[in-house]
Amino acid sequence: MQLSARNQLTGKITDVKTGPISTEITMNINGVDIVSSITTASAESLNLKVDDEATAIIKASSIMIAK
């Protein structure tokens, strides 16, 4: 798959919490956990499972930083 997005991080899925509308995916990337929320329909069509390798594509305007 080719994407124009530069913010691509590949890691391993460590947790999947499925809800009726959205699914929370936790990935470990180089020892850091990131969490994303996607639609449950998308999670099902991608067949995301714990221990799968996946790539997070992050839109620059969607990144939040906290201290």
Side-chain angles (χ1 to χ4, degrees), residues 17-24 37-46:
K17 293 181 181 157
T18 304
I21 297 171
S22 63
T23 294
E24 185 179 278
S37 178
I38 64 173
T39 66
T40 297
S42 292
E44 289 171 354
S45 71
L46 291 169

Side-chain angles (χ1 to χ4, degrees), residues 6-50:
R6 293 183 183 175
N7 301 316
Q8 298 180 38
L9 305 169
T10 300
K12 185 178 277 196
I13 295 175
T14 58
D15 192 31
V16 177
K17 293 181 181 157
T18 304
I21 297 171
S22 63
T23 294
E24 185 179 278
I25 307 293
T26 303
M27 292 177 59
N28 186 278
I29 300 168
N30 297 325
V32 176
D33 285 339
I34 65 165
V35 180
S36 178
S37 178
I38 64 173
T39 66
T40 297
S42 292
E44 289 171 354
S45 71
L46 291 169
N47 194 29
L48 299 172
K49 302 180 298 295
V50 171

